[in-house]
């Protein structure tokens, strides 16, 4: 039999026609009641919802809310709709908020309502209710509900400026905080509460987290000191550490209570919340080093990365690194693998990287997990994918650590590894040697602020086998520093050579450059510094719109001045040690040979004169003095000034230096 031919076009037209007919809905067919749902599932759903409490109110509220959420509405329309919605929900806010599909209606009143409407809703939600089944509905229960807790979030967000609402919310949450802080849903409300409300308002709630007895201490606290808060009626609440210091008998009970809360929070993975970081810090502030080593470090070892988002969390990680055992330290450093660069550029997380480099004995592991990442630039992964692009010359490629050296936070890693902080590293009977050691320690401290110094406290110790003050690190600080510095030596010298001018114009960059010259003096870096000074002066002569020459730059001239003074000090120390080495590298000599014919012009500028006043104290003293001899009268004139122009302080300092030389 011959096969029947299949006309595809005919069948497709027939199918489309039948499909279009099926999609049409005939209102006159079947039930004539248009308000009833079109199919049985919707009818069943509507029937089920109609038996719920406040069903007509919820249905009307959802219709208004659908109109209220339209973004193109004007203020007048929103105001009218919100007034209708508020009127419908009056007296029913709690029951409606607890319904998963209706809580958005209450949120709408809080978001778009007036201050008075919001306050009425807050009062109603904070009062709480007991339903027919004797189930109590209060704000704490609202915060624990998967859908209703969004109402609590809206309350906190939009009522934070209303003092009456703040007091009501705080009052309603009292004696409920211990359950909320470890609840998977309630923790979100607690996070926003502590982040949004003033500290003085939430202080009483935070006291509950330390133990039931702490709620009574708020009334016994001393009044605020005179000054900024003298008109503030709120009691001045001390830190937990300060209270334990005055009440040492409460230490054990507080530690046990906090451990219970923290363990529950860790089991529910609450390490991403800032309030939890604050609790961890409070615990570490009163716990002994052995408590941190036995409980905190093992518990947080695999959560270190989440804690680095806040200042409090970073300090906790630093304490765990300082007092943790070798196993816990390895877990922590592995968490940071691949995040070294971003951590160093973070406002808080950089301290954790510094602490790991400061106390970990396994320098090979530190290099592998942290420092190895610095050899790759920030855009290396993107460049690797672009195979068709032409390869750049090595000289044109920027240094992979340029952004880190110029960063105020990341540069401190390099300073930590470049500057010795061991006061006994060069101890001799010579007084000058002692002064050199002291200056090195002071130089290390001046690069860190008091908070950083407190976090990076030296020589952490624990009690082990009834022996107190047992160091947690076996290796000497100086040995560890030198081993880690070797891994970054080539990178730092390369950055100093390629980007000399950028570094000299930047405060963090200039500090790194000076310490590189101090630790690893090399002709390549010195030549780059002198050439950068010369090039910037030539660019200034050619183009008027370019930046100031390095010798007149606010940061650049100070960098050069401090380098000359450092060289002068080094020369005096070598003279005391009878070390006469004429072939030793000298930045001052290289600078003098390059600018020998321009010293007179440099002396006429204020900042340039300061540089020369330092240069004249180095080994090229006689040469500089001879070059400036013919310009001495002009320098004196500029130092004195006249009625129309103020005298230049730099010229005055240079003139005194010339007289002393």
């Amino acid at each position: 039999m011959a096969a029947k031919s299949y006309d595809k076009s005919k069948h497709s037209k027939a199918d489309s026609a039948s499909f279009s007919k099926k999609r049409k809905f005939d209102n006159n067919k079947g039930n004539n009641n248009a308000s009833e749902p079109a199919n049985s599932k919707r009818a069943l759903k509507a029937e089920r919802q109609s038996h719920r409490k406040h069903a007509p109110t919820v249905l009307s509220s959802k219709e208004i809310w659908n109109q209220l959420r339209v973004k193109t509405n004007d203020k007048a329309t929103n105001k009218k709709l919100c007034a209708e919605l508020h009127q419908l929900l009056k007296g029913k806010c709690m029951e409606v908020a607890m319904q998963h599909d209706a809580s958005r209606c209450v949120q709408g009143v809080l978001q778009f309502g007036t201050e008075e409407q919001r306050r009425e809703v807050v009062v109603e939600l904070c009062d709480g209710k007991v339903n027919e089944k004797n189930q109590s509905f209060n704000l704490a229960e609202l915060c624990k509900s998967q859908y209703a807790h969004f109402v609590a979030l809206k309350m906190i967000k939009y009522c934070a400026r209303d003092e009456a609402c703040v007091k009501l919310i705080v009052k309603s949450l009292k004696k409920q905080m211990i359950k909320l802080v470890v609840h998977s849903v309630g923790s979100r409300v607690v996070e926003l509460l502590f982040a949004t409300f003033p500290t003085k308002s939430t202080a009483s709630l935070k006291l509950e987290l330390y133990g039931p007895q702490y709620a009574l201490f708020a009334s016994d606290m001393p009044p605020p000191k005179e000054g900024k808060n003298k008109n503030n009626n709120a009691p001045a609440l001390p830190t937990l550490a300060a209270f334990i210091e005055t009440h040492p008998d409460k230490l054990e009970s507080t530690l046990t209570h906090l451990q219970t809360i923290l363990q529950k929070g860790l089991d529910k993975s609450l390490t991403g919340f800032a309030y939890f970081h604050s609790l961890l810090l409070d615990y570490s502030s009163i716990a002994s080093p052995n408590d941190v080593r036995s409980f905190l470090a093992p518990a947080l070892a695999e959560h270190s990365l989440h804690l680095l988002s806040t200042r409090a969390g970073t300090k906790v990680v630093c304490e765990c690194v300082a007092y943790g055992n070798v196993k816990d330290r390895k877990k922590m450093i592995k968490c940071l693998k691949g995040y070294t660069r971003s951590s160093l550029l973070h406002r808080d997380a950089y301290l954790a990287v510094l602490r790991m480099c400061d106390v970990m004995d396994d320098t090979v592991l530190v290099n592998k997990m942290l420092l190895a990442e610095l050899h790759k630039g920030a855009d290396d992964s993107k460049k690797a994918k672009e195979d068709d692009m032409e390869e750049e010359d090595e000289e044109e490629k920027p240094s992979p650590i340029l952004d880190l050296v110029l960063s105020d936070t990341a540069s401190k890693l390099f300073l930590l590894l470049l500057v010795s902080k061991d006061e006994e590293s060069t101890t001799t009977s010579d007084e000058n040697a002692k002064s050199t050691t002291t200056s090195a320690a002071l130089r290390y401290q001046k690069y860190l602020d008091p908070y950083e110094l407190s976090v990076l406290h030296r020589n952490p110790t624990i009690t082990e086998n009834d022996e107190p003050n047992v160091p947690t690190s076996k290796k000497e600080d100086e040995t560890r520093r030198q081993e880690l510095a070797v891994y970054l030596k080539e990178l730092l010298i390369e950055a100093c050579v390629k980007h000399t001018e950028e570094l000299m114009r930047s405060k963090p960059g200039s500090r790194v450059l000076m310490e590189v010259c101090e630790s690893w003096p090399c002709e390549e870096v010195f030549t780059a510094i002198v050439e950068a000074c010369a090039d910037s002066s030539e660019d200034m002569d050619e183009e008027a719109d370019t930046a100031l020459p390095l010798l007149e730059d606010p940061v650049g001239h100070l960098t050069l001045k401090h380098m000359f003074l450092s060289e002068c000090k080094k020369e005096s120390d070598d003279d005391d040690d009878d070390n006469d080495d004429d072939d030793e590298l000298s930045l001052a000599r290289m600078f003098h040979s390059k600018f020998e014919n321009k010293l007179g012009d440099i002396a006429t500028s204020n900042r340039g004169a300061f540089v020369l006043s330092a240069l004249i104290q180095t080994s090229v003293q006689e040469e500089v003095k001879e070059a400036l001899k013919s310009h001495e009268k002009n320098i004196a004139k500029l130092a004195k000034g006249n009625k129309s122009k103020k005298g230049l302080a730099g010229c005055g300092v240079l003139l005194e230096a010339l007289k002393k030389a």
Side-chain angles (χ1 to χ4, degrees):
M1 290 178 69
K4 291 183 180 180
S5 61
Y6 179 75
D7 193 344
K8 190 175 181 180
S9 60
K10 286 182 180 181
H11 280 268
S12 62
K13 287 178 181 179
D15 290 343
S16 61
S18 62
F19 179 76
S20 61
K21 285 178 182 179
K22 286 178 184 177
R23 296 294 293 172
K24 288 182 180 178
F25 177 73
D26 189 1
N27 285 327
N28 299 322
K29 217 172 188 181
N31 195 352
N32 292 328
N33 190 359
S35 63
E36 281 192 20
N39 54 52
S40 58
K41 285 187 179 180
R42 289 187 180 180
L44 185 63
K45 184 180 178 183
E47 176 66 20
R48 189 170 59 248
Q49 289 180 345
S50 66
H51 294 297
R52 291 192 308 185
K53 198 172 182 181
H54 310 304
T57 302
V58 170
L59 189 62
S60 304
S61 298
K62 286 199 284 188
E63 289 176 2
I64 297 172
W65 176 79
N66 273 320
Q67 298 174 38
L68 185 63
R69 66 173 178 159
V70 178
K71 293 183 179 180
T72 54
N73 289 348
D74 55 11
K75 288 185 179 180
T77 306
N78 281 345
K79 188 176 181 181
K80 182 184 175 183
L81 291 169
C82 198
E84 293 177 17
L85 186 59
H86 178 245
Q87 194 63 35
L88 274 171
L89 296 174
K90 246 183 184 178
K92 310 164 190 173
C93 287
M94 180 61 78
E95 286 97 340
V96 173
M98 294 299 287
Q99 296 181 23
H100 74 277
D101 60 336
S103 67
R104 66 193 75 174
C105 301
V106 184
Q107 294 175 47
V109 178
L110 290 168
Q111 184 174 352
F112 298 103
T114 61
E115 189 175 338
E116 187 178 347
Q117 289 169 347
R118 287 173 183 163
R119 194 175 298 171
E120 287 181 18
V121 173
V122 171
V123 169
E124 190 176 334
L125 293 174
C126 290
D127 283 346
K129 282 191 177 183
V130 179
N131 64 5
E132 298 168 355
K133 297 179 182 179
N134 289 327
Q135 293 177 334
S136 62
F137 292 108
N138 52 35
L139 188 59
E141 293 299 319
L142 196 78
C143 294
K144 296 177 190 176
S145 173
Q146 184 179 358
Y147 297 98
H149 86 279
F150 289 107
V151 175
L153 294 177
K154 284 285 195 295
M155 282 171 60
I156 295 168
K157 182 179 179 180
Y158 292 104
C159 302
R161 295 184 180 180
D162 191 335
E163 289 186 14
C165 290
V166 170
K167 287 179 181 178
L168 277 170
I169 294 169
V170 170
K171 185 179 178 181
S172 301
L173 293 177
K174 279 186 177 178
K175 300 181 182 179
Q176 304 290 335
M177 292 301 293
I178 294 175
K179 293 180 181 178
L180 286 176
V181 292
V182 293
H183 195 274
S184 56
V185 177
S187 55
R188 302 174 195 171
V189 179
V190 176
E191 175 75 356
L192 187 65
L193 181 79
F194 283 127
T196 308
F197 283 3
T199 308
K200 63 179 183 180
S201 301
T202 57
S204 58
L205 297 179
K206 193 170 184 181
L207 282 174
E208 291 182 24
L209 305 179
Y210 302 147
Q213 71 273 26
Y214 281 83
L216 304 173
F217 298 146
S219 58
D220 299 333
M221 293 299 107
K225 296 179 181 179
E226 293 185 3
K228 294 181 181 179
N229 300 323
K230 66 178 181 179
N231 296 325
N232 187 358
N233 296 323
L237 298 174
T239 60
L240 181 60
F243 181 82
I244 292 297
E245 191 176 345
T246 54
H247 299 81
D249 56 309
K250 305 289 182 184
L251 177 61
E252 289 301 323
S253 60
T254 305
L255 282 173
T256 305
H257 183 81
L258 279 175
Q259 274 189 15
T260 306
I261 292 178
L262 294 174
Q263 190 58 57
K264 288 180 181 177
L266 289 168
D267 293 340
K268 294 187 179 181
S269 302
L270 301 180
T271 49
F273 293 115
Y275 80 85
F276 197 75
H277 298 178
S278 181
L279 266 182
L280 288 167
L281 181 60
D282 289 333
Y283 176 85
S284 66
S285 66
I286 62 170
S288 66
N290 285 66
D291 289 331
V292 175
R293 187 182 182 90
S294 60
F295 169 69
L296 214 54
L300 299 176
E302 295 179 354
H303 302 282
S304 302
L305 192 62
H306 299 128
L307 296 172
L308 299 182
S309 59
T310 63
R311 188 183 181 96
T314 301
K315 189 170 182 179
V316 172
V317 173
C318 290
E319 290 296 291
C320 292
V321 172
Y323 297 112
N325 56 35
V326 176
K327 185 179 178 181
D328 294 331
R329 285 177 175 179
K330 282 184 178 179
K331 286 182 181 178
M332 291 180 204
I333 200 170
K334 284 178 181 178
C335 286
L336 285 182
K337 187 179 181 181
Y339 296 95
T340 309
R341 184 178 293 275
S342 56
S343 297
L344 286 171
L345 295 172
H346 190 269
R347 67 181 186 277
D348 300 313
Y350 72 97
L351 283 170
V353 180
L354 265 61
R355 195 53 166 162
M356 287 177 180
C357 294
D358 195 34
V359 299
M360 289 192 69
D361 290 333
D362 192 348
T363 53
V364 175
L365 182 67
V366 172
N367 175 52
K368 184 180 177 181
M369 294 294 173
L370 298 180
L371 303 185
E373 187 186 334
L374 305 185
H375 290 262
K376 302 174 184 177
D379 301 326
D380 275 5
S381 58
K382 295 179 183 178
K383 289 181 181 178
K385 295 178 183 178
E386 299 174 359
D387 298 325
D388 298 333
M389 290 182 63
E390 295 182 1
E391 293 184 359
E392 298 180 63
D393 295 335
E394 287 188 6
E395 295 181 359
E396 294 178 358
K397 284 184 180 179
S399 171
I401 60 169
L402 176 61
D403 56 333
L404 302 177
V405 174
L406 297 176
S407 168
D408 189 41
T409 55
S411 62
K412 291 178 181 178
L413 171 66
F414 306 119
L415 295 171
L416 188 75
L417 300 180
L418 286 168
V419 183
S420 172
K421 59 179 180 179
D422 190 355
E423 296 185 351
E424 298 177 356
S425 59
T426 55
T427 305
T428 62
S429 59
D430 195 21
E431 292 182 1
N432 292 319
K434 289 181 182 178
S435 65
T436 305
T437 308
T438 306
S439 66
L442 291 173
R443 189 165 70 250
Y444 153 72
Q445 290 177 1
K446 77 177 182 180
Y447 292 140
L448 303 174
D449 61 39
Y451 175 76
E452 291 167 339
L453 287 170
S454 67
V455 173
L456 303 173
H457 56 88
R458 296 190 64 187
N459 303 323
T461 58
I462 57 169
T463 303
E464 192 173 19
N465 298 327
D466 297 328
E467 292 184 17
N469 302 325
V470 177
T472 57
S473 301
K474 296 179 181 179
K475 196 173 284 187
E476 292 292 332
D477 288 347
E478 185 63 16
T479 306
R480 188 188 305 109
R481 182 191 72 81
Q482 290 177 358
E483 288 177 3
L484 291 174
V486 169
Y487 293 120
L488 296 175
K489 182 176 179 180
E490 290 182 9
L491 267 181
L492 286 168
I493 291 176
E494 180 193 14
C496 292
V497 172
K498 285 186 176 181
H499 310 283
T500 313
E501 186 173 347
E502 288 179 74
L503 266 57
M504 290 185 74
R505 294 184 187 275
S506 162
K507 282 186 178 180
S510 63
R511 292 169 185 165
V512 174
L513 180 63
M514 284 189 288
E515 295 304 337
V516 168
C517 293
E518 183 76 18
S519 301
W520 306 308
C522 63
E523 186 177 358
E524 198 178 2
V525 177
F526 287 170
T527 304
I529 292 170
V530 174
E531 290 299 327
C533 293
D535 292 343
S536 64
S537 300
E538 290 174 5
D539 292 341
M540 185 65 180
D541 295 336
E542 294 173 5
E543 300 178 21
D545 296 335
T546 56
L548 287 170
L550 281 172
L551 293 170
E552 296 180 27
D553 185 78
V555 179
H557 87 283
L558 286 175
T559 307
L560 206 56
K561 175 187 170 184
H562 290 313
M563 284 181 176
F564 290 149
L565 291 175
S566 177
E567 186 174 316
C568 171
K569 188 174 183 181
K570 192 175 181 181
E571 288 171 357
S572 63
D573 293 341
D574 290 342
D575 290 341
D576 294 336
D577 295 337
D578 297 329
N579 184 12
D580 297 329
D581 188 1
D582 296 333
D583 298 331
E584 190 176 352
L585 281 172
S586 171
L587 176 63
R589 289 192 178 280
M590 294 174 73
F591 182 86
H592 175 262
S593 63
K594 184 73 175 180
F595 291 93
E596 186 176 3
N597 300 325
K598 296 182 180 180
L599 293 180
D601 297 332
I602 295 172
T604 57
S605 69
N606 186 44
R607 288 168 178 162
F610 276 116
V611 174
L612 293 183
S613 67
L615 181 66
I616 206 171
Q617 299 178 46
T618 61
S619 57
V620 292
Q621 180 181 16
E622 295 300 326
E623 293 89 332
V624 175
K625 188 177 179 181
E626 185 66 28
L628 295 177
K629 193 172 183 181
S630 58
H631 301 276
E632 198 167 343
K633 289 183 179 179
N634 190 26
I635 295 170
K637 187 178 178 182
L638 290 170
K640 190 176 182 181
N642 51 44
K643 292 181 180 180
S644 60
K645 193 175 181 180
K646 192 177 178 181
L648 300 179
C651 292
V653 172
L654 178 59
L655 200 62
E656 290 180 12
L658 285 169
K659 290 177 181 177
K660 289 179 182 179

